[in-house]
Amino acid sequence: MSDINKVVLAYSGGLDTSVIVRWLQDTYGCEVVTFTADIGQGEEVEPARAKAEALGVKEIYIDDLREEFVRDFVFPMFRANTIYEGEYLLGTSIARPLIAKRLIEIANETGADAISHGATGKGNDQVRFELGAYALKPGIQVIAPWREWDLNSREKLMQYCEQHEIPVDFSSSKKKSPYSMDANLLHISYEGGTLEEPWAEAEEDMWRWSVSPEAAPDKPAYITLTFEQGDPVAIDGERMSPATLLEKLNKLGGANGIGRLDIVENRYVGMKSRGCYETPGGTILLRAHRAIESITLDREVAHLKDELMPRYAQLIYNGYWWSPERRMLQAAIDDSQSVVNGEVRLKLYKGSVTAVGRRSADSLFDERIATFEDDAGAYDQKDAEGFIKLNALRLRIAAGKGRELT
Amino acid sequence: MSDINKVVLAYSGGLDTSVIVRWLQDTYGCEVVTFTADIGQGEEVEPARAKAEALGVKEIYIDDLREEFVRDFVFPMFRANTIYEGEYLLGTSIARPLIAKRLIEIANETGADAISHGATGKGNDQVRFELGAYALKPGIQVIAPWREWDLNSREKLMQYCEQHEIPVDFSSSKKKSPYSMDANLLHISYEGGTLEEPWAEAEEDMWRWSVSPEAAPDKPAYITLTFEQGDPVAIDGERMSPATLLEKLNKLGGANGIGRLDIVENRYVGMKSRGCYETPGGTILLRAHRAIESITLDREVAHLKDELMPRYAQLIYNGYWWSPERRMLQAAIDDSQSVVNGEVRLKLYKGSVTAVGRRSADSLFDERIATFEDDAGAYDQKDAEGFIKLNALRLRIAAGKGRELT
Amino acid sequence: MSDINKVVLAYSGGLDTSVIVRWLQDTYGCEVVTFTADIGQGEEVEPARAKAEALGVKEIYIDDLREEFVRDFVFPMFRANTIYEGEYLLGTSIARPLIAKRLIEIANETGADAISHGATGKGNDQVRFELGAYALKPGIQVIAPWREWDLNSREKLMQYCEQHEIPVDFSSSKKKSPYSMDANLLHISYEGGTLEEPWAEAEEDMWRWSVSPEAAPDKPAYITLTFEQGDPVAIDGERMSPATLLEKLNKLGGANGIGRLDIVENRYVGMKSRGCYETPGGTILLRAHRAIESITLDREVAHLKDELMPRYAQLIYNGYWWSPERRMLQAAIDDSQSVVNGEVRLKLYKGSVTAVGRRSADSLFDERIATFEDDAGAYDQKDAEGFIKLNALRLRIAAGKGRELT
Amino acid sequence: MSDINKVVLAYSGGLDTSVIVRWLQDTYGCEVVTFTADIGQGEEVEPARAKAEALGVKEIYIDDLREEFVRDFVFPMFRANTIYEGEYLLGTSIARPLIAKRLIEIANETGADAISHGATGKGNDQVRFELGAYALKPGIQVIAPWREWDLNSREKLMQYCEQHEIPVDFSSSKKKSPYSMDANLLHISYEGGTLEEPWAEAEEDMWRWSVSPEAAPDKPAYITLTFEQGDPVAIDGERMSPATLLEKLNKLGGANGIGRLDIVENRYVGMKSRGCYETPGGTILLRAHRAIESITLDREVAHLKDELMPRYAQLIYNGYWWSPERRMLQAAIDDSQSVVNGEVRLKLYKGSVTAVGRRSADSLFDERIATFEDDAGAYDQKDAEGFIKLNALRLRIAAGKGRELT
C-alpha cells in the first residue's frame, strides 16, 4: 500500500467522503487531492473547500461542470431516445463518465497516481467510475474504500470520525435521509430504506424535486420546445444554454408533477434493485425529442435507432461511455440528427406530458400524400397492389408448398 | 373479371362496405358473402344481418371474436412489451390478422375464390389483410375496391347509393364524424380531418373512450393486476376471461383519462401520417407487464426482449403476423414468460398510470443481496474489483497503446 | 406516353439494350441518351459508341468508372466484412448504385426526364437502379422495358431486330452463353440455364475468371496485403490505386482457383434463385480484412460490427445504398476503421485463402498478457474469480430460487 | 479452507490434473472425486482410472459422453450456423457446458460441496466451467488451483510431483507438445508456443487432425449429407448416430485438408489470443447446413437467424450455455428448423468444401417463378413497379424536400 503517493478523490463534502479523506491519508500514507463538482445536484459546492482544508487537503478542485454535463453528455444521450429497461432515463449513469474524466485530468495535472471514490462495492457507480478511469489512463490505480475497509455501518463511520477528530458538523449538519440519494441536473434518485420492499409504495415525502400529480396545478401548462440538430435550444422561443434549459425544464416538470419513476432495475453487478427517480426535465425532453423526430426522421433511420437504443442504453448504464463501441454508436446516432430541427408543442398536466403539435422546415410529413381527401395523383393507389403482391410472394410460395404457420 | 364466382367481404354494415357489396355484385357479377365480427368495437354487429340481406347477400357470417382476439392476438403481443416507434400500441394492427384468418376460413367453408375489404390503397390495413390472406391461402384472389373504383369522394359514394338503390338509412343513420375511425377491444383510432395538420392539437370532442385528464377524478384509483405466464388473469383478485379483463381495464383507464396518444407515424407504404389513439386498458397493461417482468425476468432475457421488440413491433405493424419470422420471434418471447407470474399494484390518476408495487413467488429480487444494510456475506464486495478489472482490460490495453476515445 | 422527351439508358452495347434504344425511340417518341460505363467488366466499352451512333443516338456517354467504383463503393462495403446470407459477396449489388448515380447525373446534364435500363421485372437489379434513381432525383421517370413490352423471348427480340433494321452483328457477334451473366471489377455472376436446377453441379466450362482448384498450381502463393484505415493500399509492399489493386487480386485469386461460389439466394422481390459467382479478389480481401481487424479492433467494436453486418448487407442487396439508413450505418462502420492499419500475410492455394500472419503498429494483441509463460504480473489471475462470481450472480440467484434451465 | 469435504475434479489423467488431485488433498484436506469423460478427444480415458487410484481417489467417474455431446450440444449449436468473430467454430466452448453439467451431477450424487478444474486464470474455460456450475447449483464451491497456487511453471510442477511422489510416468509418458492443446469430437485447438507471435505462420507439424491441403488427394471427394430438422442424419444415404456421423466427417475432412483455422480471437477475460484449430467435420457441416437452409428456409427467417447468430455465438463463447437467454434464443432457432430437411451434395478438395447441389421435399425454390424462360404467368413482372414505387416513396419524399444523401 505504500506505493501510492497522491490520490484524487471525488469529494462531496459530506460525511462519507470526509471519512475517506482521512482514511486514505492514514491507510495509504498518501496525499489526498479533493475534487468537488457542481453538476446541478442542487447543493452548494464551495463549502467543500473549507471542509477539505480542515482535513489537511492542500490541492482542492471545485468545478462548475453543469454546462459541460448537459451539452456533452445529457444531450448526446437524448439524441438516441435512451431508456434503460423500458423505463429508466439514466440520470445517475450519465454523470459518472464526466466525473471520471475530471478525476483523470486532475490526476494528470497534479501528478497523482491513483483516484478514489465513495461508491460501494454493490452498485453500478464503482464500475462506471473505474471503467472510465482505466479507459482514459490505463496505469491509474483505483482505491475503493467501501470495498476495502470494515466501516460498513453508520455507527462504525461515526466512531471513526470521533477517533480521528473529523469535525462533527459533518454528521449533525442535517437530518439523515432514510434513502440513499444522488442528484444532478438530470435527476435525483432514491434507493434503500423502505424501498427495499418492492411491493411497498414509495412514501410521498420522499420525493424532493416534484410535487405529486395530485398537488399539481389544475390547469395544464403549454410550452414549445425548439430543437436544432437533435438538441433543444429554446423554450417558448427563448434561446438558452444547455444547463439553463434543462434547469428550466426541471422546474416546469417538477411543478406539474412530471417525471417520477418507481422501478426495479437490473444492476451490472448482477442483482436487482429498487430505485425511485425524479427526472422532470428529461421526461419532457424525451417525449419532445421523439415528437420532433417523428416528422423529420426517415422511417428506416428511426427504426434502426430504436433497435440500437437498448444496447446504447446498456453501454451507458454499465459504465462504457468511454469506450470505442459507444463512440461508434454515437457516430451513427449523430449522423441521423442533422435534420432533427423544429418545434414541439407540449402539454404538461398533473404528471403527464403530451406532444400536441410538431412542425419543422425539415418535416417529411407530406400532407398532399397523407391526405384522406383527393390527392391529385400524388400517390397512385394502384402501386399498392404490386407492393403487396411481391411482399407476399415468399409467403405464398411457402403456403403453396404446404407450409403451416400455426 | 369474370373468373370470380364468390367473394367474402369484411363487412361492417356501414355505408362504405355496403356500397362495396353492390359494387362487387355489379362489377364482378359474383356472389358476395359478408363477414361481420365483434372484436369489441363497441357497436352492435347483429344489425349488419338485415343490411346484408337487403343487399341480396345469402351467406352471412356474424361472429363474436372478442375472446379469441384478446387471448390469441393481444396478449401474445403484450408479452413482448410491444410498441411501434416508441409510442404506438398497435391497436389497429393486431386486429387485422384475425380478420384475415376468418376471411380465409369462410372462403374455405363457402368455396369462395376471393376476399375483399374496405381499406384504402394508402394505408397499412390493405397490406395487413392481404398479406395474411395470401399467407394462409396462396391461391386466393383479393379485390380491393378502393384501389380499383373511381368512387374516391363522399359525393360519388352517395351518388352511387342513389343510382343503385342502396337503402338510404345507411348514409343518414348518424352524423358522419370528421375523422376516419377504427375501434376494437384494444383501442379506438382517429385519422384525417383537422389531424392532417401535425401542428394542430386534437380537439377535445374527438376523443370517445376516455375523459380528459382534466375531467378525471381528483383522487387516484388503485388496482392490482395478477399475471400468469405473462398474461393478466385477474383484477383485484377477481379472475376473468381475457376479453372481460381488457374491457374492464378499458373502463378503468378511460375513467381516469389514461391512454390517449397523439403521434405522427411511419406507414409501411412509405408516408408519414398523423394518428390519435385511445388505448386505456393497453396502456395500463403495458406498464403492469413491464413491472411484473422487472422482478421475475432474468436481466439478459429482459435485455434481449428489449432488443428484439422493435423488430417484432414492426412485423405486426407491417402485417406479417402470419409469417414464419413472427412465429420464430414468438417462440423466443413465449419461452421467457413461464416465470412471469405475480401481482402488480397500480395507481391510476388523471392520465398517468404508475406501478407502485410488485410481488411474485417467482421474484428474483433478492433483498438479502440488494440491501444497503449489512448483508451477512451474501455478496462479497471484493468480487467487484476483479469484475471491473477484467471488464476494463481491453480498454486499458487500448489506452496503453495510445488509443484515444474522444 | 408522350410526355417523355429524353431518356438516359444504361447501355451495354449488346443486343438487348440495343433493342431497347430503338424500342424507346419508337414507343415513347423520345430522344435516347446512352450511357456506357467501364466498371471492370472486362469488355471494351468504346465500341458502344459506334453502335449507339448507328441507332441514331446523339448524346453518348462512355465513362471509365473503375477507380470510383472500387474506392467509393467496393472498399466502403468491405470495411463491414459484408456478406449476404452467409455466402454472397454482393458483387452485382454494389455496382448498381454507381450506375444509378451516373444515370441521374447525366439526366441532369442533358435535361432528360427519364432513365431506362435493361433489367428484368423478376430480379433485384431493377430495384437497385430505380431506388437509387428515385432517391437521387425524386421526379425522375423510369422506363423498364422488360416490364412493359412483350418481347419476352430471344426469338421475339431477333424478330424485332429484323423488323427495325437493328444491325445484325449485334446478334451474331459471339456465341450466346447459356447463362445470364454480369461482371464488374468485383465479380462475374452466372444465372439461368442448367443452374435453374439447384441439385445440378455447375459445369466446369461455365467459369470464366478462375481456373478450377484442380487446375491451379501445385504450390501455394504467398502475398502480403497492406491496409490503411480499413482499405487495402498495397500488395507485397507495392502501393497501387484501388482499381489496380483489386484487378491484381483478381488475377492472383483466379490463378489459384479462389473465389468460386455456388448458392441459392433470396431475392428482394420474393423468390429464391440459384447463382454462381467468381469473386477472386474479393474473397482474398474479405479474409485479409478480417485478419487485420482481428489484431487492431476492440472486441466490442468487432462484435457490434458483426451484429450490424447482416442488416448492412441486406440494405445493399436490396438496393438501398442511397438511403439515410445506409449512410447512418456507414458512419458507425467508418468510425471503427481509423485503427485498421497493418499487414496481413496470406496463403493462396487451390481454392483456399488463409491468413497466416498479421502485424500492425496499431495492434491490440498484447503478448505480455496473452502469454502462457510467466507474465510478470501483467495480468492478475485472481481478478478472474470476482469477474466470474459477479457474472454468475444473476444465474445463482435464479438457481437459488429454483429456476430450471432445461 | 477447511470447510470443503469433497470436491469433484475434471480429471484428464495428465500431469496437470494429477498434480491438482494431490494439491487438493493436501491444501483442502478434502476427498477428491475424479471425473474423466470421453468427448472424442482421441485418447483412451480408461487409463485415468489407475492413475486416479494411485493418487488415492476412491470415487472415480469415467463416462463416454460422445453421443450426448454431439446430439445435445454440437448439433443444436450448428442449427444456428454459429461462428464466433466470423471465423471460429467454437469447438472448445461447446464442450465446456457438458463437462460442467456432469461435474454438478456427480457432485449431487457424491455429496461433494465443491468442483475443481485445471483451467488457468487467463482463459475462457474457467469462466465456462464455473458459470455453468453456478447456474446449475448455485451453492457449489469452486476451486481453481491455477488461480490459487504458485506452481506457475513446468519446473515447479515437476518439483511438486517429486516432492509428493506423484508417479513419474505422467510427466515422461510422451514428448510434451510446445502448444497448449484441447480436443473433442468437434475440434482440436492449439495455443501458445510460437503461435504467440501473430505474424509467424503456424508450423506444418503442429497440425494433427488433417493433412495439409498440399498433401491431400489430387482428386476431389464427393459426399451427400442428409438433414432432418436441421441436424445431419446420414452420409451418402447411410444413417448413423450423431457422434458416429461427426467422426466420419472428421475423417473425410481431415483426409482432404479441410478445417484448418488460424486466427486471433478476443477472449471474454479481455485479451486477444492467437489460436489454431482443426475442425474438419464441423467445417463441412456448417457449409452443408447453410446449403440445405438456403432452399428450405424462408428469407426473413434466414435473415433473422443471421442477425441473432453473433449474439448466440458470443453467449456460447463466453460460457452462458446454461442461461435463460441462451435457451430463449435456442427456442427461436429450433422453431425455424422443422423444415430444414433434405440433401446436400458436397465437394471436398484440398482444403475447400463446396456445396454443389441441394434438394429437399421442403424446398421453397420455385423453378416456375425463378426461371429466366417464359413462366406462364406465375409471376407478374408488372407487380415490380408498384413494389419499387412504394419502397421508394419515403426516399422520394425526402429527396423532394431537398435531403441530400452524400
Side-chain angles (χ1 to χ4, degrees), chain B residues 211-276:
Chain B
V211 301
S212 76
E214 291 89 328
D218 287 329
K219 291 208 168 158
Y222 283 85
I223 62 168
T224 296
L225 217 47
T226 306
F227 285 86
E228 287 178 7
Q229 302 195 53
D231 294 339
V233 297
I235 300 177
D236 290 333
E238 187 186 347
R239 293 186 78 91
M240 46 192 96
S241 73
T244 313
L245 187 143
L246 184 53
E247 203 162 46
K248 177 117 192 241
L249 284 185
N250 280 335
K251 291 216 177 92
L252 285 163
N256 286 286
I258 288 165
R260 293 184 174 187
L261 189 63
D262 173 348
I263 57 170
V264 173
E265 74 197 56
N266 290 293
R267 287 196 191 146
Y268 189 26
V269 291
M271 73 194 65
K272 289 183 183 291
S273 84
R274 167 84 170 285
C276 288

Side-chain angles (χ1 to χ4, degrees), chain A residues 272-301:
Chain A
K272 289 183 183 293
S273 84
R274 167 83 169 286
C276 288
Y277 304 95
E278 287 169 286
T279 322
T283 302
I284 298 170
L285 183 50
L286 175 63
R287 182 132 277 167
H289 187 261
R290 275 214 171 267
I292 190 65
E293 282 195 342
S294 78
I295 57 168
T296 56
L297 274 196
D298 170 80
R299 179 186 71 198
E300 295 303 308
V301 165

Side-chain angles (χ1 to χ4, degrees), chain A residues 233-251:
Chain A
V233 297
I235 300 176
D236 290 333
E238 186 186 349
R239 293 186 78 90
M240 45 191 98
S241 74
T244 314
L245 188 143
L246 184 52
E247 202 161 47
K248 178 115 191 245
L249 283 184
N250 280 334
K251 291 218 177 91

Side-chain angles (χ1 to χ4, degrees), chain B residues 45-63:
Chain B
V45 288
E46 199 48 42
R49 188 181 307 277
K51 294 179 182 174
E53 282 169 353
L55 286 158
V57 175
K58 289 183 195 122
E59 291 175 287
I60 297 171
Y61 283 76
I62 296 184
D63 296 339

Side-chain angles (χ1 to χ4, degrees), chain A residues 15 20 142 156 186 207 255 277 302 317 365 392:
Chain A
L15 172 68
I20 289 175
V142 173
K156 288 187 182 166
L186 184 52
W207 308 98
Y277 304 95
Y317 186 85
F365 184 91

Side-chain angles (χ1 to χ4, degrees), chain B residues 269-271 298 300-301 304-305 307-308 311 324-325 327-329 331-333 335-336 390 393-394 397, chain D residues 269-271 298 300-301 304-305 307-308 311 324-325 327-329 331-333 335-336 390 393-394 397:
Chain B
V269 291
M271 73 194 65
D298 171 80
E300 294 303 308
V301 165
L304 181 53
K305 286 188 70 211
E307 290 191 52
L308 294 176
R311 172 186 286 257
E325 67 271 24
R327 199 188 64 180
M328 182 181 166
L329 281 174
I333 293 161
D335 179 84
S336 72
L390 291 204
L393 184 56
R394 65 184 172 95
I397 292 173
Chain D
V269 291
M271 72 195 65
D298 170 80
E300 294 303 308
V301 165
L304 181 53
K305 285 188 72 210
E307 290 193 51
L308 294 177
R311 172 187 287 257
E325 67 271 24
R327 200 187 64 181
M328 181 180 167
L329 281 173
I333 292 160
D335 179 83
S336 72
L390 291 204
L393 184 54
R394 65 183 172 95
I397 292 173

Side-chain angles (χ1 to χ4, degrees), chain D residues 172-240:
Chain D
S172 66
S173 60
K174 53 184 169 189
K175 189 177 162 300
K176 173 73 179 161
S177 161
Y179 306 103
S180 170
M181 296 191 295
D182 178 70
N184 59 51
L185 251 180
L186 183 53
H187 91 345
I188 180 167
S189 67
Y190 312 88
E191 294 182 301
T194 57
L195 297 177
E196 293 189 359
E197 166 51 71
W199 181 248
E201 184 170 1
E203 293 163 347
E204 179 53 39
D205 66 359
M206 175 191 76
W207 307 98
R208 299 193 169 199
W209 279 22
S210 63
V211 302
S212 75
E214 291 90 328
D218 287 329
K219 292 210 166 154
Y222 283 84
I223 62 168
T224 296
L225 217 46
T226 306
F227 284 87
E228 287 178 9
Q229 303 194 53
D231 294 338
V233 298
I235 299 177
D236 290 333
E238 186 186 349
R239 294 186 77 90
M240 45 192 98

